[in-house]
Each structure stands twice: as C-alpha cells, then as structure tokens.
Amino acid sequence: MKKEILRLQPVFKQMIWGGERLGSEWHYAVPGEHTGECWGICAHEHGDSIVTEGTYRGKALSQLWKEEPELFGNVDSDRFPLLIKIIDAKADLSIQVHPNDAYAKVHENGSLGKTECWYILDAPEDGSLVIGHNAQTKDELEDMIKNGRWNDFIQEVPVKKGDFIQIEPGTVHAIKGGILLLETQQNSDITYRVYDYDRLSNGKPRELHVEKSLDVITVPARPLSDCIVSVGEIVKNQLHLLMDCNCYKVWKLEVDRICQFNQIWPFLNMSIISGEGKINGFSVKKGDHFIIPYKFGDVVIEGTLEAIVSTV
Ligand code: ZN
C-alpha cells in the first residue's frame, strides 16, 4: 500500500438558496448559478469524490473504502462514515431536523441518521442561524407546527466568523442567508423539512415532513450551551479539538510557517479554508480537500494556512 495523500475532486450541488461565492471567492469550477454546496469529501450515492492524482487516480472514494480498507485503518463501517461540505447560503435554508441512527434505520431504509457540525467561515454583521425551538411540550410543538406559529416556534441565534456549532439529531436548525460554513456530518442526507418559508420551487412548495419531524424533534430543545461550542484561543501549529462525539472528531488547524504531528488516526480528512502551503511536499491551497491515510507517519506542513480536520 502506498502512503499517499488522496486529493479529491469536489462535487457541486445547485440549490434554490445557493449563491455565487463558491465560484467567485473559492475559485471552484462551479456548474452555474445558485451553487449552494461543495461536497469536498464524500462517498454517497448522490456524490462520490474521485481521487485526482497518484496511484489511486480516477477511483471513487466509495470504491477505495471497499477495495483498500487499510487506507482507512480498517474502520468497521459498511460505508465511508463522514461527509464534508462547504455551504454558501445566499437565501435562508428550510427549517429542518434529522433523525438519529435508530430512527433512520427503521424509517429510511437502513440509512444512517445525521449528526452534523458547522464551522462558520463567514457571516454578515447581523448573521444568524436557527438552532432549537421554543416549544416546552410535545403538544405545544404540534400546535406551533400544525398551526404555523413560526415566530413563536423558531429560536434564532446570532453567529460570527469562527463560531462552531454542533447539531445533534432531533435539533431543529436552519442556515440563514449570508452564512458560509464548513459542515462535517455523518454520511447521510436524511433531512425532514419542518417549514420552508412558504417558498415555491418550480412553481410548487417543496415537500414538508411534518409527521416525521414531530417524531424526532427533541422537546424541550437542548440548551443552546450544548449546541454552541466555545472555540477558545487557538494555539498555532497544533491540532485544536473543536468536537469529539460518537460520530466524529473535528479540529481546527492554523499553520504559521511549520507544523508537524504524527498521523495516529484511522484517516484524516482535511479541508484547507485559507492560505496555502505544502504537506510533505504536496502543494495545497484554499479550497483543497484531501485525506491523509492510515499509518502515514509524520505530517509536516509548511506555509500559512488554516484547515478543518476530521476523523472518526
Ligand atoms: Zn442539517
């Protein structure tokens, strides 16, 4: 087995709420207007990263996961467990909630549930997100949703660049317009739409999933202090842990000139969010997504850059 960094080709998704920044600011070859999502590291039926160079050039991440499990530390999972996206929300996303693994397995054909977290790459002055809700009981929840009491229901929270948010299954959430973020999530796209601001897509409202939402929404909502993670002061040139939960570990890394650490995890996903440099001689820049495989050994990064890093 070759201990090569796996550079991956992003997959883009056009969305009614998507903007232009993935093309204009991130210099991706986007497919057109309203490109809302860049799937940087993915092995899903709706998007599968292709390795762009080296021994595994042309292979899909889902295929490598099956054929070369030792690249990923032989993790016991029938699919690559994570999905990394950059999201450019020009308009508000629908208010939504995700099921946990147990619910998704029964109600969504064996799919994984979805725990996700967000690193805020950019936010306007008055930027905000919807996190949680104000219903105190299941009856109140049902009344608010079925009678459209959205102003009473929705809890909106101000956010700024550099904030980090953990969204457990059952947490009502929505990205608001103007926010650009990097999402690390379980490899699933099971989403229950609670409310879509009465918008039309191709002349029709998008489907809502009210009954499933009522099944899975946590009542009362988790305290905000569980969702908004204090990032703290980041020490440069070492991995700074943002989240360690049973689905993933996520770090922020700020490199100034040189940084070195040992790759002791099954695999490391890396997305460069600013700057440029070299990793063991391999050139990287803002917008690059790649995987450092199992037993890679010493990772030596030279340059000035910031990255979001994750593993299971
Ligand atoms: Zn979500």
Side-chain angles (χ1 to χ4, degrees):
M1 183 186 66
K2 296 271 178 52
K3 301 292 191 299
E4 290 173 19
I5 293 174
L6 304 171
R7 192 194 292 276
L8 302 170
Q9 180 76 47
V11 175
F12 298 96
K13 301 284 175 182
Q14 288 173 286
M15 301 288 189
I16 57 169
W17 44 260
E20 292 77 43
R21 299 173 73 182
L22 293 172
S24 62
E25 294 174 22
W26 288 72
H27 307 297
Y28 289 124
V30 295
E33 291 185 323
H34 305 293
T35 302
E37 299 186 348
C38 163
W39 291 22
I41 303 178
C42 55
H44 190 276
E45 57 182 331
H46 298 144
D48 206 349
S49 300
I50 304 292
V51 178
T52 61
E53 56 190 74
T55 308
Y56 304 105
R57 185 174 171 203
K59 298 227 175 187
L61 182 53
S62 62
Q63 184 186 3
L64 280 184
W65 181 261
K66 291 201 166 70
E67 293 175 1
E68 311 280 351
E70 68 283 7
L71 288 172
F72 310 97
N74 300 296
V75 167
D76 182 23
S77 169
D78 66 351
R79 67 203 95 177
F80 186 76
L82 299 177
L83 177 50
I84 314 298
K85 295 178 185 174
I86 295 176
I87 296 179
D88 170 23
K90 186 170 188 178
D92 297 344
L93 273 72
S94 59
I95 311 275
Q96 51 187 256
V97 64
H98 306 297
N100 61 20
D101 287 345
Y103 190 92
K105 189 170 182 183
V106 175
H107 298 270
E108 304 295 344
N109 229 341
S111 172
L112 292 177
K114 186 166 161 188
T115 301
E116 68 191 35
C117 61
W118 299 332
Y119 179 82
I120 308 297
L121 294 165
D122 198 22
E125 194 99 318
D126 56 350
S128 69
L129 296 168
V130 171
I131 308 168
H133 61 80
N134 295 311
Q136 295 304 313
T137 63
K138 277 273 177 193
D139 284 348
E140 199 179 5
L141 178 76
E142 196 168 335
D143 178 53
M144 285 175 168
I145 291 177
K146 291 198 167 164
N147 295 310
R149 295 172 50 204
W150 306 116
N151 287 336
D152 296 332
F153 175 64
I154 292 164
Q155 174 163 270
E156 218 174 301
V157 182
V159 290
K160 59 183 188 314
K161 182 175 177 173
D163 285 347
F164 185 77
I165 291 116
Q166 169 83 347
I167 304 289
E168 297 281 348
T171 303
V172 172
H173 60 283
I175 300 171
K176 303 275 290 176
I179 301 281
L180 189 79
L181 59 80
L182 186 141
E183 178 174 85
T184 304
Q185 57 158 101
Q186 279 182 284
N187 185 2
S188 160
D189 65 353
I190 305 293
T191 293
Y192 300 147
R193 214 174 274 132
V194 183
Y195 174 53
D196 199 26
Y197 304 97
D198 305 314
R199 286 184 292 200
L200 301 179
S201 174
N202 299 323
K204 289 185 298 231
R206 294 194 293 174
E207 189 191 359
L208 299 180
H209 314 91
V210 171
E211 292 308 322
K212 285 177 173 174
S213 298
L214 289 171
D215 277 352
V216 305
I217 292 174
T218 304
V219 188
R222 284 165 190 281
L224 271 180
S225 55
D226 283 10
C227 307
I228 299 176
V229 178
S230 170
V231 171
E233 196 178 331
I234 293 184
V235 177
K236 289 192 172 169
N237 300 324
Q238 54 181 266
L239 292 166
H240 178 92
L241 187 67
L242 297 171
M243 177 52 56
D244 184 356
C245 68
N246 51 18
C247 298
Y248 43 71
K249 292 182 183 65
V250 177
W251 297 267
K252 178 160 190 219
L253 177 62
E254 292 187 9
V255 177
D256 180 18
R257 286 193 285 269
I258 190 151
C259 152
Q260 184 166 0
F261 61 88
N262 194 5
Q263 205 301 60
I264 56 171
W265 297 276
F267 59 90
L268 274 188
N269 297 325
M270 246 173 133
S271 301
I272 308 293
I273 59 169
S274 77
E276 60 188 323
K278 285 195 164 162
I279 303 187
N280 298 49
F282 175 94
S283 292
V284 296
K285 62 176 193 313
K286 175 181 170 178
D288 285 353
H289 303 268
F290 48 91
I291 296 174
I292 304 179
Y294 187 54
K295 288 195 170 168
F296 184 83
D298 275 340
V299 178
V300 181
I301 309 179
E302 293 165 277
T304 303
L305 58 84
E306 296 179 299
I308 300 295
V309 182
S310 58
T311 190
V312 291

